[in-house]
mmCIF file of all heavy atoms in Angstrom:
data_model
loop_
_atom_site.group_PDB
_atom_site.id
_atom_site.type_symbol
_atom_site.label_atom_id
_atom_site.label_comp_id
_atom_site.label_asym_id
_atom_site.label_seq_id
_atom_site.Cartn_x
_atom_site.Cartn_y
_atom_site.Cartn_z
ATOM 1 N N GLY D 76 105.410 109.943 120.903
ATOM 2 C CA GLY D 76 105.863 109.467 122.201
ATOM 3 C C GLY D 76 104.852 108.616 122.925
ATOM 4 O O GLY D 76 105.062 108.223 124.072
ATOM 5 N N ARG D 77 103.726 108.306 122.255
ATOM 6 C CA ARG D 77 102.673 107.500 122.860
ATOM 7 C C ARG D 77 102.422 106.264 122.010
ATOM 8 O O ARG D 77 102.385 106.329 120.770
ATOM 9 C CB ARG D 77 101.370 108.294 122.947
ATOM 10 C CG ARG D 77 101.430 109.489 123.876
ATOM 11 C CD ARG D 77 101.241 109.066 125.314
ATOM 12 N NE ARG D 77 101.207 110.194 126.227
ATOM 13 C CZ ARG D 77 100.937 110.084 127.524
ATOM 14 N NH1 ARG D 77 100.675 108.902 128.052
ATOM 15 N NH2 ARG D 77 100.954 111.148 128.297
ATOM 16 N N GLY D 78 102.235 105.120 122.660
ATOM 17 C CA GLY D 78 101.879 103.910 121.943
ATOM 18 C C GLY D 78 102.934 103.509 120.936
ATOM 19 O O GLY D 78 104.118 103.834 121.063
ATOM 20 N N PRO D 79 102.511 102.817 119.872
ATOM 21 C CA PRO D 79 103.477 102.264 118.908
ATOM 22 C C PRO D 79 103.888 103.228 117.806
ATOM 23 O O PRO D 79 104.569 102.838 116.871
ATOM 24 C CB PRO D 79 102.713 101.075 118.326
ATOM 25 C CG PRO D 79 101.287 101.515 118.380
ATOM 26 C CD PRO D 79 101.147 102.353 119.626
ATOM 27 N N GLY D 80 103.480 104.485 117.872
ATOM 28 C CA GLY D 80 103.818 105.446 116.827
ATOM 29 C C GLY D 80 102.618 105.826 115.995
ATOM 30 O O GLY D 80 101.559 105.205 116.075
ATOM 31 N N VAL D 81 102.782 106.857 115.169
ATOM 32 C CA VAL D 81 101.663 107.401 114.399
ATOM 33 C C VAL D 81 102.108 107.678 112.974
ATOM 34 O O VAL D 81 103.260 108.043 112.723
ATOM 35 C CB VAL D 81 101.131 108.691 115.071
ATOM 36 C CG1 VAL D 81 102.222 109.726 115.220
ATOM 37 C CG2 VAL D 81 99.931 109.264 114.309
ATOM 38 N N GLU D 82 101.197 107.471 112.025
ATOM 39 C CA GLU D 82 101.430 107.843 110.632
ATOM 40 C C GLU D 82 100.393 108.876 110.224
ATOM 41 O O GLU D 82 99.293 108.931 110.777
ATOM 42 C CB GLU D 82 101.336 106.626 109.706
ATOM 43 C CG GLU D 82 99.933 106.035 109.622
ATOM 44 C CD GLU D 82 99.828 104.877 108.646
ATOM 45 O OE1 GLU D 82 100.799 104.626 107.907
ATOM 46 O OE2 GLU D 82 98.767 104.222 108.627
ATOM 47 N N VAL D 83 100.760 109.722 109.267
ATOM 48 C CA VAL D 83 99.852 110.729 108.722
ATOM 49 C C VAL D 83 99.682 110.463 107.238
ATOM 50 O O VAL D 83 100.667 110.409 106.491
ATOM 51 C CB VAL D 83 100.388 112.157 108.940
ATOM 52 C CG1 VAL D 83 99.431 113.181 108.329
ATOM 53 C CG2 VAL D 83 100.596 112.446 110.429
ATOM 54 N N LEU D 84 98.435 110.294 106.811
ATOM 55 C CA LEU D 84 98.116 110.122 105.394
ATOM 56 C C LEU D 84 97.504 111.420 104.877
ATOM 57 O O LEU D 84 96.536 111.925 105.450
ATOM 58 C CB LEU D 84 97.134 108.967 105.192
ATOM 59 C CG LEU D 84 97.550 107.587 105.711
ATOM 60 C CD1 LEU D 84 96.479 106.552 105.387
ATOM 61 C CD2 LEU D 84 98.886 107.167 105.114
ATOM 62 N N LEU D 85 98.067 111.940 103.802
ATOM 63 C CA LEU D 85 97.575 113.196 103.242
ATOM 64 C C LEU D 85 96.524 112.977 102.162
ATOM 65 O O LEU D 85 95.948 113.945 101.655
ATOM 66 C CB LEU D 85 98.738 114.018 102.685
ATOM 67 C CG LEU D 85 99.840 114.352 103.698
ATOM 68 C CD1 LEU D 85 100.868 115.271 103.066
ATOM 69 C CD2 LEU D 85 99.255 114.984 104.953
ATOM 70 N N HIS D 86 96.292 111.722 101.801
ATOM 71 C CA HIS D 86 95.234 111.369 100.853
ATOM 72 C C HIS D 86 94.602 110.072 101.336
ATOM 73 O O HIS D 86 95.175 109.352 102.157
ATOM 74 C CB HIS D 86 95.780 111.207 99.434
ATOM 75 C CG HIS D 86 96.385 112.457 98.871
ATOM 76 N ND1 HIS D 86 95.632 113.475 98.355
ATOM 77 C CD2 HIS D 86 97.681 112.851 98.764
ATOM 78 C CE1 HIS D 86 96.423 114.448 97.944
ATOM 79 N NE2 HIS D 86 97.680 114.092 98.183
ATOM 80 N N ALA D 87 93.436 109.767 100.802
ATOM 81 C CA ALA D 87 92.731 108.559 101.213
ATOM 82 C C ALA D 87 93.617 107.341 101.021
ATOM 83 O O ALA D 87 94.296 107.191 100.009
ATOM 84 C CB ALA D 87 91.443 108.404 100.408
ATOM 85 N N GLY D 88 93.625 106.476 102.014
ATOM 86 C CA GLY D 88 94.443 105.273 101.946
ATOM 87 C C GLY D 88 94.080 104.327 103.066
ATOM 88 O O GLY D 88 93.283 104.658 103.939
ATOM 89 N N VAL D 89 94.673 103.161 103.047
ATOM 90 C CA VAL D 89 94.411 102.150 104.060
ATOM 91 C C VAL D 89 95.432 102.303 105.182
ATOM 92 O O VAL D 89 96.640 102.307 104.924
ATOM 93 C CB VAL D 89 94.494 100.734 103.462
ATOM 94 C CG1 VAL D 89 94.277 99.683 104.547
ATOM 95 C CG2 VAL D 89 93.466 100.575 102.347
ATOM 96 N N PRO D 90 94.992 102.451 106.424
ATOM 97 C CA PRO D 90 95.940 102.589 107.537
ATOM 98 C C PRO D 90 96.882 101.398 107.631
ATOM 99 O O PRO D 90 96.471 100.250 107.449
ATOM 100 C CB PRO D 90 95.020 102.655 108.761
ATOM 101 C CG PRO D 90 93.706 103.132 108.230
ATOM 102 C CD PRO D 90 93.590 102.536 106.861
ATOM 103 N N SER D 91 98.146 101.684 107.907
ATOM 104 C CA SER D 91 99.140 100.616 108.035
ATOM 105 C C SER D 91 99.815 100.614 109.396
ATOM 106 O O SER D 91 100.663 99.760 109.653
ATOM 107 C CB SER D 91 100.211 100.752 106.947
ATOM 108 O OG SER D 91 100.907 101.987 107.079
ATOM 109 N N ARG D 92 99.474 101.568 110.244
ATOM 110 C CA ARG D 92 100.037 101.646 111.586
ATOM 111 C C ARG D 92 98.901 101.604 112.608
ATOM 112 O O ARG D 92 97.745 101.916 112.281
ATOM 113 C CB ARG D 92 100.830 102.948 111.761
ATOM 114 C CG ARG D 92 102.034 103.086 110.854
ATOM 115 C CD ARG D 92 103.187 102.189 111.266
ATOM 116 N NE ARG D 92 103.743 102.584 112.547
ATOM 117 C CZ ARG D 92 104.689 103.507 112.700
ATOM 118 N NH1 ARG D 92 105.185 104.151 111.651
ATOM 119 N NH2 ARG D 92 105.170 103.787 113.896
ATOM 120 N N PRO D 93 99.206 101.251 113.848
ATOM 121 C CA PRO D 93 98.144 101.222 114.867
ATOM 122 C C PRO D 93 97.450 102.570 115.069
ATOM 123 O O PRO D 93 96.266 102.615 115.404
ATOM 124 C CB PRO D 93 98.894 100.776 116.128
ATOM 125 C CG PRO D 93 100.028 99.968 115.611
ATOM 126 C CD PRO D 93 100.464 100.664 114.357
ATOM 127 N N VAL D 94 98.180 103.673 114.887
ATOM 128 C CA VAL D 94 97.575 105.006 114.978
ATOM 129 C C VAL D 94 97.775 105.712 113.647
ATOM 130 O O VAL D 94 98.906 105.910 113.197
ATOM 131 C CB VAL D 94 98.193 105.840 116.116
ATOM 132 C CG1 VAL D 94 97.566 107.235 116.145
ATOM 133 C CG2 VAL D 94 98.010 105.147 117.464
ATOM 134 N N THR D 95 96.669 106.073 113.016
ATOM 135 C CA THR D 95 96.711 106.736 111.712
ATOM 136 C C THR D 95 95.907 108.019 111.769
ATOM 137 O O THR D 95 94.775 108.033 112.268
ATOM 138 C CB THR D 95 96.131 105.839 110.609
ATOM 139 O OG1 THR D 95 96.918 104.648 110.505
ATOM 140 C CG2 THR D 95 96.135 106.548 109.260
ATOM 141 N N VAL D 96 96.487 109.094 111.270
ATOM 142 C CA VAL D 96 95.779 110.363 111.105
ATOM 143 C C VAL D 96 95.619 110.601 109.609
ATOM 144 O O VAL D 96 96.605 110.613 108.864
ATOM 145 C CB VAL D 96 96.542 111.534 111.753
ATOM 146 C CG1 VAL D 96 95.786 112.842 111.535
ATOM 147 C CG2 VAL D 96 96.757 111.282 113.240
ATOM 148 N N LEU D 97 94.386 110.781 109.169
ATOM 149 C CA LEU D 97 94.078 110.952 107.748
ATOM 150 C C LEU D 97 93.504 112.343 107.514
ATOM 151 O O LEU D 97 92.492 112.716 108.116
ATOM 152 C CB LEU D 97 93.075 109.887 107.304
ATOM 153 C CG LEU D 97 92.486 110.007 105.895
ATOM 154 C CD1 LEU D 97 93.586 109.993 104.844
ATOM 155 C CD2 LEU D 97 91.485 108.882 105.651
ATOM 156 N N ASP D 98 94.163 113.122 106.661
ATOM 157 C CA ASP D 98 93.665 114.451 106.289
ATOM 158 C C ASP D 98 92.658 114.297 105.158
ATOM 159 O O ASP D 98 93.011 113.904 104.044
ATOM 160 C CB ASP D 98 94.832 115.346 105.858
ATOM 161 C CG ASP D 98 94.372 116.739 105.447
ATOM 162 O OD1 ASP D 98 93.193 117.087 105.670
ATOM 163 O OD2 ASP D 98 95.206 117.485 104.898
ATOM 164 N N LEU D 99 91.397 114.627 105.442
ATOM 165 C CA LEU D 99 90.332 114.498 104.439
ATOM 166 C C LEU D 99 90.148 115.770 103.609
ATOM 167 O O LEU D 99 89.365 115.762 102.656
ATOM 168 C CB LEU D 99 89.006 114.139 105.126
ATOM 169 C CG LEU D 99 88.963 112.797 105.852
ATOM 170 C CD1 LEU D 99 87.578 112.590 106.475
ATOM 171 C CD2 LEU D 99 89.280 111.659 104.896
ATOM 172 N N HIS D 100 90.798 116.855 103.990
ATOM 173 C CA HIS D 100 90.696 118.121 103.233
ATOM 174 C C HIS D 100 89.242 118.597 103.107
ATOM 175 O O HIS D 100 88.852 119.171 102.083
ATOM 176 C CB HIS D 100 91.297 117.965 101.825
ATOM 177 C CG HIS D 100 92.667 117.365 101.807
ATOM 178 N ND1 HIS D 100 93.804 118.070 102.141
ATOM 179 C CD2 HIS D 100 93.085 116.111 101.502
ATOM 180 C CE1 HIS D 100 94.867 117.282 102.032
ATOM 181 N NE2 HIS D 100 94.456 116.087 101.656
ATOM 182 N N THR D 101 88.427 118.372 104.123
ATOM 183 C CA THR D 101 87.005 118.716 104.015
ATOM 184 C C THR D 101 86.680 120.141 104.450
ATOM 185 O O THR D 101 85.553 120.588 104.230
ATOM 186 C CB THR D 101 86.161 117.752 104.870
ATOM 187 O OG1 THR D 101 86.668 117.753 106.216
ATOM 188 C CG2 THR D 101 86.201 116.345 104.317
ATOM 189 N N ARG D 102 87.624 120.846 105.035
ATOM 190 C CA ARG D 102 87.311 122.158 105.612
ATOM 191 C C ARG D 102 86.631 123.086 104.616
ATOM 192 O O ARG D 102 85.682 123.802 104.951
ATOM 193 C CB ARG D 102 88.587 122.821 106.162
ATOM 194 C CG ARG D 102 88.399 124.249 106.687
ATOM 195 C CD ARG D 102 87.609 124.306 107.964
ATOM 196 N NE ARG D 102 88.351 123.708 109.053
ATOM 197 C CZ ARG D 102 89.224 124.366 109.817
ATOM 198 N NH1 ARG D 102 89.468 125.650 109.602
ATOM 199 N NH2 ARG D 102 89.844 123.748 110.803
ATOM 200 N N ARG D 103 87.094 123.073 103.361
ATOM 201 C CA ARG D 103 86.544 123.997 102.371
ATOM 202 C C ARG D 103 85.698 123.292 101.308
ATOM 203 O O ARG D 103 85.341 123.904 100.298
ATOM 204 C CB ARG D 103 87.683 124.771 101.703
ATOM 205 C CG ARG D 103 88.478 125.659 102.669
ATOM 206 C CD ARG D 103 87.600 126.689 103.331
ATOM 207 N NE ARG D 103 88.319 127.483 104.310
ATOM 208 C CZ ARG D 103 87.753 128.377 105.113
ATOM 209 N NH1 ARG D 103 86.447 128.583 105.052
ATOM 210 N NH2 ARG D 103 88.474 129.061 105.990
ATOM 211 N N LEU D 104 85.385 122.023 101.532
ATOM 212 C CA LEU D 104 84.529 121.317 100.573
ATOM 213 C C LEU D 104 83.071 121.720 100.751
ATOM 214 O O LEU D 104 82.656 122.150 101.831
ATOM 215 C CB LEU D 104 84.657 119.802 100.752
ATOM 216 C CG LEU D 104 85.970 119.133 100.357
ATOM 217 C CD1 LEU D 104 85.855 117.629 100.564
ATOM 218 C CD2 LEU D 104 86.335 119.444 98.914
ATOM 219 N N CYS D 105 82.289 121.545 99.691
ATOM 220 C CA CYS D 105 80.849 121.740 99.825
ATOM 221 C C CYS D 105 80.295 120.629 100.715
ATOM 222 O O CYS D 105 80.943 119.599 100.940
ATOM 223 C CB CYS D 105 80.165 121.739 98.463
ATOM 224 S SG CYS D 105 80.141 120.128 97.640
ATOM 225 N N VAL D 106 79.095 120.824 101.212
ATOM 226 C CA VAL D 106 78.511 119.893 102.175
ATOM 227 C C VAL D 106 78.427 118.480 101.615
ATOM 228 O O VAL D 106 78.810 117.510 102.285
ATOM 229 C CB VAL D 106 77.119 120.398 102.612
ATOM 230 C CG1 VAL D 106 76.381 119.318 103.398
ATOM 231 C CG2 VAL D 106 77.255 121.653 103.459
#
């Protein structure tokens, strides 16, 4: 409901929308 919309990427990729949320899955990765 804000701005031009949002996309969510579940793997590494190139953003294609003005607002992009990318899940890096780092929570349980080693440092």
Side-chain angles (χ1 to χ4, degrees):
R77 295 279 184 174
V81 57
E82 67 177 351
V83 179
L84 303 182
L85 302 185
H86 298 281
V89 178
S91 62
R92 297 287 294 273
V94 178
T95 298
V96 179
L97 172 58
D98 179 10
L99 297 180
H100 310 283
T101 54
R102 175 70 68 87
R103 297 300 176 186
L104 291 182
C105 70
V106 169

